[in-house]
Amino acid sequence: MKTELEPKILRFADGTEVKNAEDFKKRRAEMLDILAREEYGYMPPVMGETRLKFIGEPEYICAGMALLRRAEVSFDTPKGEFSFPVKLMTPDDGEKHPCFLFNNFQDLTYHHYLPIEEIIAHQYSVALIYYNDITSDNNDMSDKLAGMYDRADDGTGYGKITLWAFAMSRLLDRLGDCPGFDAENVASIGHSRLGKTSLWCGANDERIKLVISNDSGCGGASSERIKHKGAEKISDMAVKFPFWFCENRSKYIDKPDEMPFDQHFLLACAAPRYLSVGSAEKDTWADPYSEQLSCFNASPAWEIQGFCGYTGKEEPAEIGESFDGGRISYHIRRGTHFLSRTDWLNYMKVFDNVIGR
Ligand code: GCU
C-alpha cells in the first residue's frame, strides 16, 4: 500500500536538500507560494490597521456563565472600507482565556457544530465568524470582500477559501483587544470547506498556535496522490466548487502526479507550531486514511526543526484512536461528516496539552 507522498517536504523545488531549520524557513515560504499560485490563489494585500468596534452591551449566555459581545471588524481595501460582524464568547470570570478562532456555516451562538456550553466550561473563549458575511459560497466574485480588490486574472486570483481565511487573520489582528481573549494562545478551527479554510489560514498566519482541520478532505488535509475508494477528487470539485480555489488548480484534473505540491505541504506550513487533524470513520468522501497519511508525510517539517511531529501509525488508525504524542495530532471517531462534540473534546484535550494545562 502506498504511504509516501511526493513532492518531499525536505527538498526545495529545484531538488536541493533542506538541511536544517534555517533552510526550512525558506522551504516554508516556497511551499506557501506554490500553494497560493497553484491551489488557493494569493491573499489580498493588508492595507493599514484593522479596527474593531463593539456593538451594544455584552449579553449573558450559557446560563449566565459566559458573556457574548458583538463587534465589527473593519479594514481598508483598494475599493474602500470593508466590515464584517463577529461574535465573541468568553467565560464571565474576568480572566483571559485561550481561544478558538472559528469560521462557521451560521452565525448562531448555539449551533450543532458549536457546543458552546461545553467549550466555556473548559475555560476557552470563542471568536466566531460567519463565512457568508465575508463572501458568498458561490462563483460571484463581486460579492462583499471578493469585490473589494482587482482580482488577478492570470489563474492565481483568490478563491473563496483564501478570502474566508484572510478574514480570520483580520479578526486575529484585534483579538488582543477583546476582553476574555488571550491572543497569544489561539487555535483556528473549521469544518469541511471551512476546515480547508482553517488550514490555509493557519499555514499562512504564524500567530496561530494550534491549527485544526475537521473533516477537511479534498483541498484540505487529504492528498491528491493517495486516494481511497469513494474519495473526492479535483475533478469532482472542479464541477461543483471551482470558486473555492484559484483557476490554476483545474490544470491538475486527473493529473495529480504533475502537481508541484500535495496537501502535506499545507500541513507542513504550520510547523513548528501545533496541528490537529480530525477525521470521521464513515466520511469516505473526505478520505480519512489519506488525511492521516498527510500528517505522516508532513512530519519531517517538525523533525528538521528539532520537534516531534506525527507519532501515530502508518497503517490506518482504528476507530476511536487518537495520536497526540507530538506536535501533529490525529484522531478518527465513529460516525459521519460532522463537527461533533467528540471532535471538540479531542481538540480541547490537544489544546490543553499545548498550553500546559
Ligand atoms: C462538499 C465538498 C467537500 C466539502 C463539503 C463541505 O461535500 O465536496 O469538499 O468539504 O462539501 O464543506 O461540507
Side-chain angles (χ1 to χ4, degrees):
M1 203 185 311
K2 183 176 165 189
T3 58
E4 302 245 336
L5 267 178
E6 296 293 330
K8 294 281 175 263
I9 298 293
L10 298 187
R11 291 250 165 232
F12 287 101
D14 68 3
T16 55
E17 198 185 335
V18 174
K19 293 206 187 77
N20 49 43
E22 217 31 58
D23 283 355
F24 181 78
K25 282 191 192 143
K26 294 186 202 121
R27 176 60 171 149
R28 177 173 174 271
E30 182 180 68
M31 289 189 290
L32 282 174
D33 190 61
I34 294 171
L35 290 167
R37 191 181 67 227
E38 305 291 334
E39 187 167 31
Y40 301 101
Y42 286 100
M43 292 275 177
V46 175
M47 295 172 56
E49 295 273 297
T50 303
R51 301 171 283 279
L52 179 107
K53 192 171 87 192
F54 290 102
I55 313 283
E57 291 299 309
E59 269 171 48
Y60 283 109
I61 55 167
C62 299
M65 291 184 290
L67 286 172
L68 161 66
R69 288 183 176 83
R70 291 166 206 275
E72 195 174 79
V73 174
S74 52
F75 51 89
D76 294 333
T77 77
K79 300 188 187 170
E81 187 184 62
F82 181 76
S83 304
F84 62 97
V86 295
K87 283 183 164 175
L88 303 159
M89 295 161 253
T90 186
D92 180 29
D93 58 5
E95 305 280 321
K96 271 185 191 286
H97 297 278
C99 48
F100 290 98
L101 178 56
F102 183 33
N103 205 332
N104 201 15
F105 296 93
Q106 290 285 338
D107 67 352
L108 300 173
T109 311
Y110 298 93
H111 181 256
H112 53 273
Y113 288 162
L114 180 62
I116 187 67
E117 262 193 81
E118 188 116 29
I119 299 168
I120 293 290
H122 277 81
Q123 301 292 299
Y124 286 101
S125 295
V126 177
L128 177 67
I129 296 179
Y130 169 40
Y131 81 142
N132 254 314
D133 284 330
I134 309 308
T135 181
S136 58
D137 191 356
N138 57 29
N139 64 3
D140 183 353
M141 286 296 170
S142 65
D143 186 71
K144 304 183 197 84
L145 188 59
M148 301 302 284
Y149 304 89
D150 290 320
R151 180 172 177 261
D153 57 6
D154 59 357
T156 70
Y158 46 72
K160 295 289 176 111
I161 287 175
T162 284
L163 298 177
W164 296 326
F166 182 77
M168 290 170 80
S169 287
R170 300 294 65 77
L171 169 53
L172 182 50
D173 292 341
R174 297 261 62 109
L175 215 49
D177 300 346
C178 303
F181 284 78
D182 171 3
E184 301 293 311
N185 286 302
V186 178
S188 64
I189 182 166
H191 169 60
S192 208
R193 68 201 71 183
L194 296 173
K196 309 181 211 298
T197 303
S198 169
L199 283 172
W200 183 225
C201 176
N204 282 284
D205 196 326
E206 293 179 284
R207 297 169 298 178
I208 294 171
K209 192 166 255 182
L210 168 63
V211 182
I212 299 174
S213 153
N214 194 77
D215 301 356
S216 61
C218 187
S222 69
S223 92
E224 287 310 311
R225 285 172 177 81
I226 301 181
K227 293 271 177 216
H228 304 96
K229 198 163 173 272
E232 182 174 26
K233 300 195 181 87
I234 294 184
S235 52
D236 299 305
M237 255 181 191
V239 176
K240 284 181 84 178
F241 309 108
F243 47 87
W244 289 349
F245 301 91
C246 69
E247 278 133 31
N248 274 345
R249 189 174 187 247
S250 57
K251 293 190 294 192
Y252 303 110
I253 294 176
D254 299 329
K255 293 182 194 147
D257 291 332
E258 289 180 18
M259 291 166 61
F261 64 98
D262 207 327
Q263 298 307 110
H264 58 319
F265 277 30
L266 180 66
L267 307 191
C269 289
R273 292 165 289 136
Y274 295 82
L275 168 73
S276 192
V277 173
S279 310
E281 163 230 349
K282 292 203 174 76
D283 193 6
T284 45
W285 189 237
D287 203 342
Y289 186 34
S290 182
E291 297 193 311
Q292 183 190 336
L293 286 175
S294 294
C295 294
F296 169 71
N297 281 283
S299 196
W302 277 261
E303 284 143 23
I304 193 88
Q305 300 182 80
F307 297 101
C308 182
Y310 176 71
T311 58
K313 293 179 177 165
E314 198 174 330
E315 65 271 23
E318 312 278 331
I319 299 168
E321 254 187 319
S322 65
F323 310 122
D324 53 13
R327 290 191 172 209
I328 305 177
S329 57
Y330 175 81
H331 78 261
I332 179 160
R333 62 162 171 81
R334 185 174 303 289
T336 52
H337 190 69
F338 203 88
L339 174 48
S340 71
R341 172 177 176 273
T342 305
D343 297 308
W344 278 101
L345 289 176
N346 252 295
Y347 301 132
M348 287 194 280
K349 185 168 149 249
V350 169
F351 209 170
D352 284 350
N353 288 337
V354 168
I355 60 179
R357 263 194 187 158

